[in-house]
Amino acid sequence: MATLKEVLEIAERTNTAIPGFNIDNIEIPEAIMEAAEVENCPVILTIGQGAINAGGLRHLPDVVRRIAESSSVPVVMHLDHSESYEQVIACLRAGFTSVMYDGSHYPFEENVRESQAVVRAAHAVGVSVECELGAISGVEDGISHSNTNLVDLDEVKRFIAVVDSDALAVGIGNAHGIYKGTPNLDFGRLEACRKLGAPPLVLHGGSGIPEEMIKKAISLGIRKINVATEVRLAFMEGLKSAVGSRDIYKMYQAAKAGTIELARTKIRMFQNKE
Ligand SMILES: [Zn+2]
């Protein structure tokens, strides 16, 4: 297992981005690891609020740990969009190597205060932290934030001066879920964040962003890209394609095959491979 900080250093050196894939069951991380090993790329296995609401922290962290133990590539176990200090602490205990604290919908000063507390606790046990500025719109795991999602550069400057986060998710016109039409990403703002000295930048809502936009974002300092919706769709499409077989293992096989293909495509795109 690796921390987020460790894999983002690799991304920084190679001018690439590491994929953060959401996992909702046991078969999805198995499929993703197969893709990551074939492509020989570090990977972030992300446990989000939906998975925690459905199954708590009882099983998935154990599954990820077992998978990571036998993996030939670095694996990060990451908590997505936590809005609770207490949940972060529970995840530190459950063996996560990275946590995201999302205080972006709180008033700025409160986001700073809470993020500082999370960073202090996580860093005490060697766990990385991702924070967020400029709430990312759309719906994630049933949580919808309707704030505008263009990050304020003055807030970035003030935030990074006092919060020692290892990664920063910024709103630049990206959104969770599936885009209606082509997303309108503010690359100038991305470039400005980097010039201010922000930590490695994270792009949420990576599902459905066209390849050329992804590559441009990476060239401007995006080092982690989250893909959730497309993973779920690939898995479910695979299940549906084999539903007539009435064999649950055939269904899983089809679902995993679709997920592996999707993950490989994203990894290659984020790694700038042809
Ligand atoms: Zn997100």
Side-chain angles (χ1 to χ4, degrees), residues 174-252:
N174 45 323
H176 294 122
I178 290 295
Y179 293 89
K180 292 186 191 88
T182 310
N184 183 17
L185 299 187
D186 187 339
F187 291 110
R189 204 168 287 254
L190 190 58
E191 210 171 356
C193 287
R194 200 170 192 216
K195 282 196 177 133
L196 287 170
L201 298 167
V202 181
L203 186 66
H204 283 241
S207 291
I209 296 181
E211 181 163 3
E212 60 277 13
M213 293 185 113
I214 290 284
K215 290 196 164 161
K216 183 154 188 201
I218 293 170
S219 76
L220 294 173
I222 287 290
R223 295 291 166 246
K224 169 176 179 263
I225 301 175
N226 291 8
V227 183
T229 305
E230 279 183 292
V231 172
R232 293 179 184 134
L233 289 178
F235 191 84
M236 289 190 293
E237 283 307 312
L239 279 184
K240 279 191 248 168
S241 74
V243 77
S245 74
R246 294 175 164 270
D247 177 336
I248 194 161
Y249 294 105
K250 273 196 183 136
M251 286 172 67
Y252 282 159

